[in-house]
Amino acid sequence: PKGCGSSVPELIGGDPGAHPERLRLTSPVALPAPEARILLLTGALDPIVPASQAFALAAAFTPHPVEHRPLSG
């Protein structure tokens, strides 16, 4: 399915392969952790964003409080 990645070239001003540094800088994992509590919801059947990305984001924001709730659908 057409998903979130389809907007990446517009966001970074070109092909991600040609602009790896721009791509890295737009990744939520590269951003400073917010001070507010974070709730990540992931769907087991999500064809666009795998749950592993939520786990990576939660790990990047440690020691800030992150709650991850996987959903069955």
Side-chain angles (χ1 to χ4, degrees):
K2 186 174 180 179
C4 300
S6 62
S7 62
V8 171
E10 185 176 342
L11 175 68
I12 66 169
D15 182 80
H19 303 287
E21 182 63 14
R22 291 181 192 173
L23 185 62
R24 187 191 67 75
L25 291 172
T26 59
S27 170
V29 174
L31 299 174
E35 295 193 21
R37 184 173 180 88
I38 300 169
L39 171 61
L40 299 173
L41 300 174
T42 55
L45 303 177
D46 187 336
I48 298 171
V49 181
S52 61
Q53 287 186 0
F55 288 114
L57 184 61
F61 286 169
T62 300
H64 296 282
V66 177
E67 182 178 351
H68 180 209
R69 291 188 197 166
L71 306 174
S72 61

